[in-house]
Amino acid sequence: MASSVRFTVTPTRAEDLPDTSPDISSRSSRVRFGSRESVNRSETSAGVTTSAGADTPERSHLEHGDGGVKLSSAYINNSHAIDDDDFYDRNLALFEEEMDTRPKVSSLLNRLANYTNLMQGAKEHEEAESIGEKHKSSKSPQMGTFMGVYLPCLQNIFGVILFLRLTWVVGTAGVLQALCIVFICCCCTLLTAISMSAIATNGVVPAGGSYFMISRSLGPEFGGAVGSCFYLGTTFAGSMYILGAIEILLMYIAPSAAIFVSDGPDGEAGAMLNNMRLYGSLFLLLMCLLVFVGVKYVNKLASVFLACVIVSILSIYTGALVSAFSPPSFPVCMLGNRSLSQHELKDGLCVKTLLVPPPPEAANASESFNSTDTAQETTSDLWRHFCNSSELSAVCDDYFLHNNVTQIQGIPGLSSGVIADNIWSSYSAKGDVLERGSHHSAHRDAVSNHFPYVFADITTSFTLLIGIFFPSVTGIMAGSNRSGDLKDAQRSIPIGTILAILTTSLVYLSCVLLFGSCVEGVVLRDKFGDSVKGNLVVGTLSWPSPWVIVIGSFFSTCGAGLQSLTGAPRLLQAIAKDNIIPFLRVFGHGKANGEPTWALLLTAVLAELGILIASLDLVAPILSMFFLMCYLFVNLACALQTLLRTPNWRPRFSYYHWTLSFLGMIICLALMFISSWYYAIVAMVIAGMIYKYIEYHGAEKEWGDGIRGLSLSAARFALLRLEEGPPHTKNWRPQLLVLLKLDEDAHVKHPRLLTFASQLKAGKGLTIVGTVIPGNFLQTYGEALAAEQTLKHLMEKERVKGFVQCIVTQKPREGISHMIQSSGLGGMRHNTVVMGWPDAWRQSEDPQSWKTFINTVRVTTTAHLALLVPKNISLFPSNSEPCTEGFIDVWWIVHDGGMLMLLPFLLRQHKVWRKCSMRIFTVAQMEDNSIQMKKDLATFLYHLRIDAYVEVVEMHDSDISAYTYERTLMMEQRSQMLRQMRLSKSDREKEAQLVKDRNSMLRLTSIGSDEDEDTDGAGDRSAEYRRVHMTWTRDKALQLRSNTHTHTHTASACSTPEGFRDMLNIRPDQSNVRRMHTAVKLNEVIVNKSHDARLVLLNMPGPPKNPEGDENYMEFLEVLTEGLERVLLVRGGGSEVITIYS
């Protein structure tokens, strides 16, 4: 037992043992076992001893299980054992490192199981509003399909249109067209509900309903645009419900409450509108106060409002059935076939004249006479309206004289066969008199509105009726907003929503048939019930009393208005909290409990705008547009996800198809333009403006939306098409790879390179901005991410659309080569490389800057890519510094595929270079005909459609000047001196390296950096030094040291005065002299002609094939561009980039 204990305690150092302390609860320590399991260990006052005798089974009991050792409760704090096992389970010790950043599966599932989502604007704030209540533990959702989805959808779908306008729609459009209107609208919502069910069952839908679905399916741009439209629709729905409630109040409940009263018939409409505005504003204020005080009161009243709706609908069906046996008595007064308003008949008599019996004394005096002879004929109130006096001899209206006054039954009943008269449409213009459709007037002259007829208040059409009726089928999103309260949201939302739509559709269709079968057509077309003594038309059919419908519809419309004013601010708050529309950010804040106070204020202001319209028939088409647009994009989201077959698209609701979604989308779009094409355009313009606003400000949201998937599919298709062959010369444009260098602080050294690239591209084509970070990728990954962000911010600042690529490599030169080889994808690859000029290459002791530059030139040449090297890039103009005037000079020395012609044309498309003129210079030798060359060049430019001034510069043969000879000699002497100095320094460093220990010698492989590999004249020796022997002996060390001394002595000979004198006696190479001569002569000509040019474009000569002349190549380029302010060295990719053909 003692040995076993010693084996366990051995890995624990003395400092890991607990400190003896009387405070047993103040400190705890951790003991690491071989399996790297951590357990909490309490410090006891007795401590832990290492003697074998102290380790009794009672004090320290060891249990050996399946490969593990457990310490008993003798010194382990068991209260923390469970917490520790959550992170350091002995069975998951292999994954201990991952558990620091990644949860265990059990922890993940536990968090997902505890996830709850409250419904939008219903219960999330009730607990916070209850003063004095203790915080109760949240109960698991228990609502089923019926209470959680079906009834809320019924309450939101049934609304004011059913009670106030459906009878008018049936009477105006006829039964057949009314059925068509209802069927189209219900099909639209049913197909939308199918698409919505698929989206809602493809994961949890939080508060926000349709906005959440669209934004997460189609992206923040579409989500913000359509979410805003849905918010506006919900807000104007609140206005519509309030206007409906006021109409019921002032027309049917308390007409005497009207404050504005008109003296004549001409001002009745205006007075009514003013009453609507006044009372509507008061109602809106009261409702907003109720919502502000507490949403829980609104939710408690919701069941009462729903009961009112159900009772009202049942009374309609009951009244229709009762009318088959005993129709209610609602007589309608008719003059010919024209209906009369019984509001204006003060005596209520539907006759022209009436017989008034004589007084009783006169009757006794003439008992012998017939009573009919003694009765007096007098005129009724109706006579006074149509004649200029109450006398029988008065002059009356012609139509009044030629037509009889009759009374018909307003509700003939279900078995009367009146449906035959109501089956066809009867549209009318504003101001027309309502007439019975199957009868014709004897005279159809113009009618004055002073007569007590029932007039049409608006011009009706099929399209108008669709826009007015469609709000009565909205509200299908109520179930998806309550997913957090549902026991099984994945099952309840589709079933409840679709059943609610089928139920409401059946109710609407049956009501159309019942209204057409029970009510006289002229009464149906009477919008406000003037012909039935001011009763609500649908109320005349209800049983047992019209007041059932009147009171029920009033409360139901008030409840619907409260629901809209409750939901709209929370929808706006959801949009604001997503922070995709910056100017809405303030509306994401509210009270301490989360109530959207500011959003409620904005909603009240917008709802007041709808109330100021004061007409239910004008507000309904507005909100129809917004809801139709929302439903359109729900269908689009479902169709898009289905067609793209994204891996995450796995809805539990399987009864959907992309064709149904497209059909629903087409119906929505058609209904928008059918009902009101100008409202549809306005709604689309609003949504488009919001879309572009979000896109312009860059919504930094990634929700895995379908538009991104569509973009990927389109990009894949386009890339595969581009891969079929190289681009035609007509389609060639520079696709740039811009190589930028970062300094030690991760700042871009030459940001003007990106500015120049933006001026050259003007937002077209491909731009890749790349940089190489020296180091090990495993250690410098964070630096690479920071560099990528730096480049992205710079691209945003310069407004460059493109991609960023950062490569981490030990050798920057190889990193640039890899980037040039591998950047891009398929046909979207760069064809032009833009890189900066190494400005201080002469003064730098490190040759890597210009060696990397030349190596990049060679790589681009090998890859057949064009190369652009702006020299003096810091002097190039920024995007805010346009050149007022000047020239862009092109020096066309050799043909490079037309790059020199194309680049100035592209630059002049940008505002910075737009006002610059183009000049093209070419060089003629002695044997060339310069006059003919100028003509040919002008003709060539004419065919290229490029306007430029042409000049041919003649370069005469001349002897090599002393200046050229001296410049070449200085160049070679300097190169030789620097080469020897670098070689001497390199050898000294290697000698110092040999005195280190064996571990340092094993790290000699890391010395093989770019400096050692590319040091001229030391290639063989550096290769020898880089060899690492795993078996290191004294003889090998002495041998290597002696070799090093020999080489060092030879290499350092140049530092002696004799070596320096020998270097002064070298003669320049003749090929270098010729190249220098060309550079000097060309530079003289270019400076002479282009010293005042804004930009000089010049052919860039290729690097020498022999790497030993690299430094001389840099000197040639310096001489060639000496004295020029801004130079762009251009090297073509070997293919034609411009053509004279169309």
Side-chain angles (χ1 to χ4, degrees):
M1 183 66 180
S3 61
S4 175
V5 172
R6 281 194 297 271
F7 173 78
T8 305
V9 176
T10 297
T12 306
R13 298 192 300 269
E15 57 266 28
D16 293 329
L17 293 176
D19 187 18
T20 58
S21 172
D23 187 2
I24 63 174
S25 62
S26 60
R27 292 187 300 272
S28 64
S29 63
R30 283 193 168 186
V31 179
R32 287 275 181 174
F33 292 88
S35 63
R36 300 183 69 183
E37 179 185 357
S38 298
V39 295
N40 285 336
R41 176 176 171 179
S42 62
E43 297 180 359
T44 60
S45 57
V48 178
T49 61
T50 57
S51 62
D55 293 321
T56 60
E58 291 79 8
R59 292 288 306 276
S60 178
H61 180 66
L62 294 172
E63 296 178 350
H64 296 268
D66 299 334
V69 180
K70 295 182 180 179
L71 270 70
S72 70
S73 60
Y75 56 87
I76 291 182
N77 187 353
N78 287 328
S79 64
H80 298 287
I82 298 177
D83 295 336
D84 290 324
D85 286 344
D86 281 345
F87 299 95
Y88 300 101
D89 194 298
R90 68 176 68 253
N91 294 325
L92 298 177
L94 182 62
F95 300 95
E96 181 179 313
E97 298 294 337
E98 282 82 355
M99 289 182 191
D100 293 335
T101 55
R102 303 176 186 177
K104 288 200 309 184
V105 175
S106 58
S107 303
L108 176 67
L109 294 178
N110 184 47
R111 286 201 294 270
L112 290 177
N114 293 331
Y115 174 77
T116 57
N117 177 34
L118 297 175
M119 58 172 286
Q120 174 189 354
K123 292 187 177 180
E124 63 266 37
H125 307 302
E126 287 188 12
E127 210 167 291
E129 291 174 353
S130 301
I131 302 175
E133 287 189 25
K134 294 183 180 179
H135 181 72
K136 300 178 182 179
S137 59
S138 59
K139 297 180 181 180
S140 59
Q142 295 296 328
M143 296 183 72
T145 303
F146 185 76
M147 293 297 297
V149 181
Y150 182 73
L151 290 182
C153 283
L154 283 185
Q155 181 184 0
N156 281 268
I157 293 174
F158 286 132
V160 65
I161 302 296
L162 170 64
F163 304 113
L164 294 184
R165 293 292 183 270
L166 186 57
T167 54
W168 175 69
V169 169
V170 174
T172 305
V175 174
L176 290 181
Q177 292 189 22
L179 288 173
C180 182
I181 291 173
V182 174
F183 182 76
I184 292 174
C185 294
C186 292
C187 282
C188 176
T189 54
L190 180 62
L191 294 173
T192 304
I194 293 174
S195 300
M196 184 202 71
S197 300
I199 299 175
T201 57
N202 192 50
V204 179
V205 179
S210 60
Y211 160 70
F212 184 89
M213 294 184 209
I214 296 171
S215 61
R216 270 57 176 181
S217 299
L218 297 180
E221 293 87 1
F222 278 108
V226 182
S228 301
C229 288
F230 189 52
Y231 163 73
L232 292 175
T234 308
T235 302
F236 278 101
S239 301
M240 184 189 72
Y241 291 131
I242 292 175
L243 290 174
I246 300 303
E247 183 177 313
I248 295 172
L249 176 67
L250 295 180
M251 298 287 292
Y252 310 113
I253 297 179
S256 60
I259 296 176
F260 299 94
V261 180
S262 174
D263 296 332
D266 293 335
E268 286 184 358
M272 186 61 187
L273 292 179
N274 289 329
N275 286 317
M276 298 279 282
R277 293 184 180 106
L278 178 61
Y279 279 98
S281 301
L282 291 176
F283 265 57
L284 176 63
L285 180 61
L286 292 175
M287 288 183 178
C288 289
L289 287 176
L290 180 59
V291 173
F292 177 77
V293 168
V295 72
K296 66 177 181 179
Y297 302 111
V298 178
N299 295 325
K300 289 178 180 178
L301 291 173
S303 57
V304 177
F305 298 142
L306 179 60
C308 293
V309 173
I310 294 175
V311 170
S312 301
I313 293 174
L314 290 178
S315 71
I316 294 174
Y317 283 102
T318 307
L321 293 176
V322 170
S323 69
F325 309 103
S326 59
S329 177
F330 285 98
V332 178
C333 187
M334 304 290 296
L335 177 62
N337 68 334
R338 296 178 179 177
S339 63
L340 298 174
S341 174
Q342 298 193 38
H343 266 309
E344 301 181 25
L345 302 181
K346 296 179 181 179
D347 55 6
L349 299 177
C350 186
V351 291
K352 293 182 180 180
T353 61
L354 67 157
L355 294 175
V356 178
E361 57 275 10
N364 295 331
S366 57
E367 290 180 354
S368 61
F369 294 96
N370 195 344
S371 61
T372 57
D373 296 334
T374 59
Q376 297 179 1
E377 184 178 9
T378 61
T379 59
S380 65
D381 189 56
L382 181 62
W383 180 280
R384 299 184 186 96
H385 280 90
F386 285 94
C387 301
N388 57 2
S389 69
S390 59
E391 301 296 330
L392 291 174
S393 60
V395 178
C396 298
D397 179 66
D398 193 44
Y399 185 85
F400 180 75
L401 294 175
H402 289 85
N403 289 276
N404 295 324
V405 176
T406 58
Q407 269 192 336
I408 62 172
Q409 191 63 28
I411 312 294
L414 190 61
S415 58
S416 64
V418 73
I419 190 172
D421 296 332
N422 296 332
I423 200 165
W424 305 113
S425 63
S426 180
Y427 297 111
S428 58
K430 183 178 181 179
D432 287 352
V433 179
L434 299 186
E435 301 179 350
R436 295 184 71 180
S438 59
H439 300 81
H440 299 283
S441 302
H443 296 274
R444 300 182 63 89
D445 300 330
V447 181
S448 171
N449 60 356
H450 292 278
F451 295 145
Y453 293 124
V454 179
F455 295 95
D457 61 333
I458 59 173
T459 302
T460 54
S461 63
F462 180 79
T463 58
L464 175 74
L465 296 182
I466 287 181
I468 292 176
F469 176 76
F470 187 80
S472 63
V473 296
T474 59
I476 62 176
M477 303 290 181
S480 63
N481 294 340
R482 299 168 180 261
S483 60
D485 293 331
L486 301 175
K487 187 186 302 182
D488 186 2
Q490 307 286 326
R491 178 178 177 272
S492 298
I493 289 177
I495 295 176
T497 305
I498 294 176
L499 280 180
I501 292 176
L502 292 177
T503 303
T504 54
S505 301
L506 184 62
V507 169
Y508 285 136
L509 292 172
S510 60
C511 282
V512 169
L513 293 174
L514 288 178
F515 294 157
S517 303
C518 299
V519 185
E520 181 65 44
V522 73
V523 178
L524 288 175
R525 289 188 290 278
D526 185 2
K527 185 185 293 184
F528 302 109
D530 292 327
S531 59
V532 286
K533 299 181 180 179
N535 283 293
L536 183 63
V537 175
V538 69
T540 59
L541 187 62
S542 66
W543 182 90
S545 169
W547 285 101
V548 176
I549 289 285
V550 172
I551 301 299
S553 60
F554 176 76
F555 282 111
S556 68
T557 49
C558 289
L562 280 174
Q563 291 291 338
S564 297
L565 293 177
T566 303
R570 281 158 181 78
L571 177 59
L572 179 61
Q573 188 181 41
I575 298 173
K577 284 186 175 180
D578 274 342
N579 199 21
I580 58 175
I581 305 178
F583 68 83
L584 293 181
R585 195 174 304 157
V586 65
F587 300 107
H589 307 292
K591 293 195 293 187
N593 61 352
E595 281 289 327
T597 309
W598 292 105
L600 177 62
L601 182 62
L602 179 64
T603 303
V605 172
L606 294 177
E608 178 65 20
L609 295 178
I611 287 174
L612 292 178
I613 297 175
S615 175
L616 185 69
D617 302 322
L618 296 180
V619 175
I622 296 176
L623 63 100
S624 294
M625 290 304 109
F626 293 129
F627 279 120
L628 280 168
M629 181 168 289
C630 176
Y631 296 163
L632 184 149
F633 281 98
V634 169
N635 286 297
L636 174 62
C638 179
L640 203 59
Q641 299 275 32
T642 307
L643 288 175
L644 292 176
R645 299 177 181 176
T646 54
N648 192 53
W649 181 246
R650 302 183 302 275
R652 289 188 177 276
F653 181 77
S654 57
Y655 301 101
Y656 69 94
H657 195 266
W658 66 268
T659 54
L660 296 178
S661 300
F662 266 114
L663 180 61
M665 187 174 64
I666 292 171
I667 293 177
C668 289
L669 190 62
L671 287 178
M672 288 178 67
F673 284 92
I674 286 174
S675 58
S676 178
W677 63 269
Y678 44 89
Y679 278 158
I681 292 176
V682 170
M684 288 184 170
V685 167
I686 293 174
M689 290 172 62
I690 298 174
Y691 179 95
K692 296 305 292 183
Y693 177 82
I694 298 173
E695 186 182 50
Y696 177 76
H697 280 274
E700 296 181 358
K701 300 288 182 182
E702 177 49 58
W703 290 327
D705 51 86
I707 292 296
R708 184 174 179 84
L710 182 63
S711 301
L712 289 173
S713 297
R716 172 182 171 273
F717 176 78
L719 286 173
L720 292 175
R721 290 289 302 273
L722 286 174
E723 192 73 14
E724 293 178 359
H728 193 272
T729 305
K730 292 186 292 186
N731 297 326
W732 195 97
R733 68 165 56 247
Q735 317 288 3
L736 301 183
L737 171 61
V738 184
L739 300 177
L740 297 180
K741 189 174 183 181
L742 304 180
D743 57 16
E744 293 78 5
D745 299 327
H747 295 148
V748 179
K749 281 192 173 182
H750 299 297
R752 285 290 171 89
L753 271 177
L754 207 54
T755 306
F756 173 74
S758 69
Q759 296 168 2
L760 183 63
K761 298 293 291 180
K764 303 295 191 299
L766 174 71
T767 302
I768 303 174
V769 180
T771 187
V772 176
I773 300 174
N776 190 330
F777 180 72
L778 299 178
Q779 279 81 35
T780 57
Y781 177 68
E783 297 178 17
L785 291 180
E788 187 172 337
Q789 292 301 317
T790 300
L791 294 180
K792 285 183 178 179
H793 290 320
L794 182 61
M795 292 176 68
E796 290 178 4
K797 180 181 177 182
E798 299 294 339
R799 295 185 179 181
V800 174
K801 301 291 185 182
F803 307 97
V804 174
Q805 185 169 4
C806 292
I807 290 182
V808 180
T809 179
Q810 293 284 0
K811 301 171 184 177
R813 196 178 305 174
E814 293 185 3
I816 294 176
S817 176
H818 293 161
M819 184 177 294
I820 292 174
Q821 295 176 58
S822 60
S823 293
L825 180 65
M828 285 296 287
R829 289 180 50 82
H830 58 278
N831 53 28
T832 305
V833 177
V834 180
M835 63 183 301
W837 173 265
D839 293 320
W841 68 274
R842 284 172 171 169
Q843 292 78 22
S844 175
E845 294 183 2
D846 185 10
Q848 295 313 305
S849 61
W850 59 266
K851 285 182 177 291
T852 303
F853 173 81
I854 297 176
N855 184 73
T856 306
V857 175
R858 288 195 173 100
V859 171
T860 55
T861 303
T862 305
H864 298 289
L865 301 176
L867 177 64
L868 306 180
V869 181
K871 197 166 181 287
N872 302 326
I873 186 63
S874 59
L875 300 178
F876 276 58
S878 65
N879 288 329
S880 59
E881 301 170 355
C883 298
T884 56
E885 57 183 10
F887 299 99
I888 299 178
D889 286 356
V890 176
W891 284 85
W892 193 15
I893 311 299
V894 294
H895 183 56
D896 56 354
M899 281 287 290
L900 286 172
M901 308 295 175
L902 185 62
L903 291 176
F905 171 78
L906 295 175
L907 282 175
R908 291 177 62 200
Q909 306 300 310
H910 197 272
K911 63 180 181 179
V912 172
W913 305 97
R914 187 167 295 146
K915 294 184 179 180
C916 293
S917 302
M918 183 175 168
R919 297 189 302 191
I920 297 182
F921 299 91
T922 187
V923 177
Q925 302 297 326
M926 285 297 295
E927 62 273 10
D928 296 328
N929 185 344
S930 58
I931 298 176
Q932 188 62 37
M933 280 182 64
K934 185 174 182 178
K935 290 181 179 179
D936 294 341
L937 181 56
T939 305
F940 180 61
L941 292 177
Y942 174 79
H943 289 303
L944 288 176
R945 291 91 62 199
I946 292 178
D947 296 327
Y949 170 78
V950 176
E951 184 173 345
V952 177
V953 179
E954 296 181 351
M955 290 186 65
H956 302 283
D957 290 337
S958 61
D959 296 333
I960 297 175
S961 64
Y963 170 76
T964 302
Y965 192 86
E966 182 181 355
R967 188 78 184 255
T968 309
L969 183 60
M970 290 175 60
M971 175 187 72
E972 293 192 355
Q973 288 175 349
R974 177 180 176 277
S975 300
Q976 183 70 15
M977 183 184 299
L978 290 176
R979 187 182 299 115
Q980 295 297 340
M981 289 175 63
R982 286 195 296 268
L983 183 60
S984 175
K985 178 181 177 182
S986 175
D987 288 340
R988 287 198 303 271
E989 289 176 354
K990 294 188 180 72
E991 184 179 8
Q993 186 69 27
L994 293 175
V995 301
K996 294 187 177 181
D997 57 5
R998 176 186 179 189
N999 293 334
S1000 298
M1001 293 303 300
L1002 291 176
R1003 289 197 298 269
L1004 276 176
T1005 51
S1006 65
I1007 302 177
S1009 62
D1010 289 350
E1011 289 86 352
D1012 298 330
E1013 290 181 9
D1014 301 304
T1015 302
D1016 295 333
D1020 296 335
R1021 284 168 294 176
S1022 61
E1024 182 181 355
Y1025 296 151
R1026 284 197 303 270
R1027 296 195 189 99
V1028 178
H1029 301 281
M1030 296 305 295
T1031 305
W1032 192 255
T1033 63
R1034 178 182 177 86
D1035 296 338
K1036 290 181 179 179
L1038 292 176
Q1039 179 183 359
L1040 187 56
R1041 180 177 296 182
S1042 62
N1043 291 340
T1044 304
H1045 278 298
T1046 303
H1047 292 307
T1048 304
H1049 176 74
T1050 304
S1052 61
C1054 65
S1055 61
T1056 62
E1058 293 80 6
F1060 186 73
R1061 283 194 296 268
D1062 292 340
M1063 193 168 54
L1064 293 178
N1065 294 329
I1066 63 175
R1067 296 174 60 84
D1069 185 80
Q1070 289 301 314
S1071 61
N1072 288 339
V1073 173
R1074 289 196 303 272
R1075 291 188 178 92
M1076 182 63 74
H1077 176 69
T1078 303
V1080 170
K1081 293 291 291 182
L1082 270 178
N1083 178 256
E1084 289 177 359
V1085 174
I1086 294 173
V1087 171
N1088 182 38
K1089 296 287 185 180
S1090 302
H1091 60 88
D1092 59 343
R1094 295 289 184 181
L1095 179 64
V1096 176
L1097 280 78
L1098 184 63
N1099 282 116
M1100 182 179 182
K1105 295 181 180 179
N1106 185 4
E1108 292 182 357
D1110 286 353
E1111 195 167 5
N1112 298 338
Y1113 172 72
M1114 296 294 295
E1115 189 70 31
F1116 294 146
L1117 294 181
E1118 283 283 5
V1119 173
L1120 184 62
T1121 59
E1122 203 169 37
L1124 299 174
E1125 188 179 26
R1126 302 188 191 103
V1127 183
L1128 180 62
L1129 296 173
V1130 180
R1131 185 162 175 80
S1135 59
E1136 293 292 330
V1137 300
I1138 196 168
T1139 178
I1140 63 175
Y1141 300 104
S1142 59

